[in-house]
Amino acid sequence: MDNGAQTLTFGDHGLVLGAWTEFSGQGLWSDNNAAVAYDTDLTNEAELRKLVDMANKEGSNPGQLLWALYTRLGLDFLDTLRGAFGFALWDGQNSKLLVATDPFGIRPVVYSKKSGGFVAASRIKHILFDDQISTEIDLEAIYHYLFFQAICSPVSIYKDIRKLEPGKALHYENNSLRDFTYYDIRYKPDTSLGESYCIATIPREVEKAVKVYVPLSNPEKTGCFLSGGTDSSSVAGFCTKLTGRPAKTFSIGFDEPGYNELDYAHTASRHFGTDQNDYYVTPDDVLGLIDLLPSIYDEPFGNASVVPAYYCARMARDHGVEVLLGGDGGDEIFGGNERYVTNLIFEKYFILPRTLRIALLEPLLAQLPAAGVLYKAGRYVRRANMGNPRRFFSYNLLAETDPLEIFQPDYVSQFDTNCFINLAKSHYDQAASAHDTDRLLYIDMKFTITDNDLRKVTQMVEAAGVQVRYPLLDRDLVDFTTTIPPTLKVKSGRNRYIFKLAMEAFFPQAIIQKKKHGMGLPIAPWFKKDSVLSDLLNDNLFNGVPRITQYVRPEFINKLKTAFQEDTTPYYGDSLWVFLILELWL
């Protein structure tokens, strides 16, 4: 391999292990006929070393630790690991290869089973060093991407490459590959837990999770993302409290009404006494990054928040920070997304007697003119009857439009347009018996966290030369939240109900009352106001024959353009960004 990787070759078995060492916790270890290629950021390494009598062993590294745990505990050792990890472990004595990713896919693993062999890596581009792997595009992946802005595990953009789902491992032996689950989120709400218990316990559990991460890096070289929301404020606030020194906090602003949230970040910073740093992202920053996105992501990735994530991390690096702590995961474990509240509104429809709904109300709405209040009532009933998870994703542009209006007939005839919903349903069913709110949280842990948020933040932060950690995805904290009754997580009209009550004394009131926004990029108004961005959009999507038209009808793209020009909301502009990123990737 002439690509800068360290390599080990086991010629008798046709095996090559390779590793890059860009950050700490990455590398290769070998001993005779055993080897481990690893990318780890374990939070309980000290405890694990004690478990295998390696506490005082000089010169030992994470690969040696993983091997010692494997030889002591067998495959059960996977369940002892905490933190982020992806690795390949070779047991030469038994001719077995084990490949694993962590419970939430923070350290991703991709793989391909090919004729006569198997290849796995942390990045798609590394797998493609093997020229026997086909780069034929998976047609379902294109649909996944346009539906969700990302391609969801186990699908990848390439037909021959799969993503290993979180909490799973691969076992390869005698040319046979099997995957197995060593960890999955299981919702086990304790209905005896009342509000007072949760209010007292939640702050302690969140602080305990942050406390796990604080000692892992030099506080002088550690910083926190700070959007001014409850999650990033939790991490920054507890980081300051636990270290006894102001946390270095980093926030992004925009010179665009309705998008700039620095006031909330400053409120949190003043309240906790952090060392606050700001950066204003501009259209020029988008132009300076957009051409790099295809190489950073290996496949189409349409979350526009990659831009602020990158510049926030680069600002932190310029201030001497080597590790950033992010607040990702809080919405999905404590019920912070408005969609969970919206779902409860639809569930209220089924309080009505079935006879009244089916025999009277629905036939009546079908006969009356669909206008005004009656239109809204009919739309409400239609969505309520969809059931989840289809209802959960029903506001998506693709979900609301006939596929034949969007896609080329030749393309859409080659796959099932229910492919994304079917995958969502498999997760929804996997969480069966749980309350509907928890089942939706489960889907978001698999899709929004693993395949969108973590991909967005981790890869942009590392592209800026910084590492990132996620205290709110501490496995013990996640497992604790599964015991909270879902009726306390989300109530009618109130997301994060019990979390906000529990953290009320810790946060300033403005943070408690803040509406969710995140690190959204004002790409829609910039497409209209900035001539260079406007030209970029027009040159790629509306002039000549865009590559994307092998999948998408040009009439639909032009319809989007017209809607964007006439609409005052960001909806169509955000959609055009997703199409633009696909075009640039192609």
Side-chain angles (χ1 to χ4, degrees), residues 299-320:
E299 62 179 1
F301 187 78
N303 188 329
S305 294
V306 295
V307 177
Y310 174 78
Y311 286 103
C312 195
R314 201 174 76 171
M315 170 177 52
R317 184 199 65 194
D318 291 344
H319 282 76

Side-chain angles (χ1 to χ4, degrees), residues 231 327-334 445 449 453 470 472-473 496:
D231 295 330
D328 299 82
D331 283 330
E332 292 74 20
I333 61 176
F334 288 114
M445 285 296 291
I449 285 298
D453 289 354
Y470 306 99
L472 301 187
L473 289 175
R496 284 182 179 268

